[in-house]
Amino acid sequence: KQWYQRRVAITAGDNKKEQSGKLEEDWDFLEPKETPDPDATQPEDWDDNPFLDDPEDVKPEDWEQPETIPDPDAKKPADWDDDMDGEWEPPVIDNPDFKGEWRPKQIDNANYQGEWEPAMIANPKYFEDDKLYLQKDIKYVGIDIWQVKSGSIFDNILITDDEDFARNVAKETFEESAKGEKEKKEEKDEVERKKREDERKAREAEEAAAEADDEEEDDIEDDESAFAEDADIESAGAGDEATDPEEEAEVNSIKEDVKDEL
């Protein structure tokens, strides 16, 4: 009677045992059998330092450097008056050679005894209870679970000390409802799958149409540019003919000669 087990039915017909053990060992129903001795104190010679300074490590001779130094690039202003302004001092900057406080490297402590813990003694508050299983006032059930996918259903929760009765209840309740729930879940998944597929096709169609429109606009711009270049060339040629005075005078002279002969 002091043992427990937890069964979970995930699919119809399984009703698997997920956990079992002793109530007293796995749950904090009772005070612990032993407790740390409140009168115990750590011995003075107890060594609880896992590391210690290396006695052979020596600080380098050039370690000591000031944290700041005068700026070597700073120059005294031309209008600085020592009598009026006092003695000029360059501003200070961080010293790139500053290494901070020196500390020797750490090595393992051969005398390390670990973290001290007080001795355990019998807990005066502990008492045995052979009726831990007998819980008459259970009114609520709490479920603390982590899951990556929503849609889980928790129902038909049974607390009993009769394992055969628990199996029969699972067959009469969960196994009957699980079939219909599974069909509904599959129908819902199929609807969501078709919806995602339709959205994907619509998105691809929009992207293809937009790409086609961009290509058409590029072709129109290319045609307009080519037409404008041809028009500029023709205009330039016509302008050259109209603005050549010698050629125009020669044409007029020929016309006059023909007219005289007639």
Side-chain angles (χ1 to χ4, degrees):
K1 295 297 185 178
Q2 297 294 84
W3 290 79
Y4 75 93
Q5 65 174 245
R6 177 171 58 88
R7 289 181 172 270
V8 178
I10 300 176
T11 59
D14 58 9
N15 192 21
K16 295 180 180 179
K17 181 172 69 173
E18 294 290 333
Q19 184 181 9
S20 64
K22 284 189 174 182
L23 294 174
E24 183 176 350
E25 294 177 357
D26 295 352
W27 305 89
D28 296 330
F29 288 119
L30 300 176
E31 290 284 339
K33 290 183 178 182
E34 295 183 327
T35 185
D37 185 355
D39 297 328
T41 57
Q42 179 174 328
E44 294 182 359
D45 59 348
W46 188 275
D47 194 340
D48 57 2
N49 293 317
F51 305 101
L52 50 79
D53 296 342
D54 185 356
E56 299 180 359
D57 192 19
V58 180
K59 180 169 64 174
E61 295 181 357
D62 61 346
W63 184 275
E64 293 294 344
Q65 298 288 339
E67 185 173 356
T68 59
I69 58 174
D71 186 355
D73 297 327
K75 296 182 179 180
K76 182 177 180 181
D79 59 349
W80 186 275
D81 189 332
D82 290 342
D83 295 334
M84 297 293 295
D85 302 324
E87 182 181 357
W88 179 81
E89 295 180 356
V92 296
I93 60 173
D94 292 336
N95 184 3
D97 296 327
F98 177 68
K99 301 177 183 179
E101 181 183 358
W102 181 84
R103 294 178 181 176
K105 66 181 181 180
Q106 300 288 290
I107 59 174
D108 292 335
N109 182 4
N111 298 321
Y112 176 62
Q113 297 176 265
E115 294 293 332
W116 179 82
E117 296 181 357
M120 303 296 289
I121 60 173
N123 186 358
K125 296 182 180 180
Y126 171 78
F127 64 93
E128 292 186 0
D129 186 352
D130 60 355
K131 291 184 173 55
L132 284 179
Y133 68 93
L134 188 58
Q135 303 289 330
K136 297 182 178 181
D137 298 328
I138 296 178
K139 298 180 180 179
Y140 308 100
V141 174
I143 298 176
D144 183 10
I145 187 171
W146 179 83
Q147 59 181 3
V148 297
K149 187 176 182 180
S150 62
S152 299
I153 299 174
F154 300 92
D155 61 0
N156 298 320
I157 299 172
L158 174 67
I159 300 176
T160 180
D161 58 357
D162 189 334
E163 190 171 339
D164 292 334
F165 176 70
R167 289 195 182 96
N168 292 333
V169 171
K171 291 180 180 180
E172 295 173 0
T173 57
F174 172 77
E175 293 186 12
E176 291 298 321
S177 62
K179 298 176 182 178
E181 292 173 356
K182 182 180 180 182
E183 293 176 357
K184 292 293 184 181
K185 181 67 167 58
E186 292 175 350
E187 292 176 1
K188 181 181 178 182
D189 291 344
E190 181 64 16
V191 170
E192 293 179 351
R193 187 195 65 78
K194 290 183 178 179
K195 180 181 178 181
R196 292 193 299 269
E197 182 68 13
D198 292 341
E199 291 175 349
R200 182 186 64 80
K201 291 180 179 180
R203 185 170 59 253
E204 292 177 352
E206 291 179 359
E207 293 175 353
E211 185 176 353
D213 291 342
D214 293 339
E215 292 179 355
E216 184 177 355
E217 291 178 1
D218 292 340
D219 292 339
I220 293 174
E221 292 177 357
D222 292 341
D223 293 341
E224 291 177 349
S225 178
F227 178 77
E229 291 178 358
D230 293 340
D232 291 341
I233 293 174
E234 293 178 358
S235 298
D240 292 341
E241 294 176 359
T243 58
D244 190 346
E246 294 182 357
E247 186 175 350
E248 185 178 358
E250 183 177 355
V251 172
N252 291 333
S253 177
I254 294 173
K255 289 180 180 179
E256 291 294 334
D257 292 342
V258 172
K259 188 184 293 184
D260 292 339
E261 292 178 358
L262 296 174

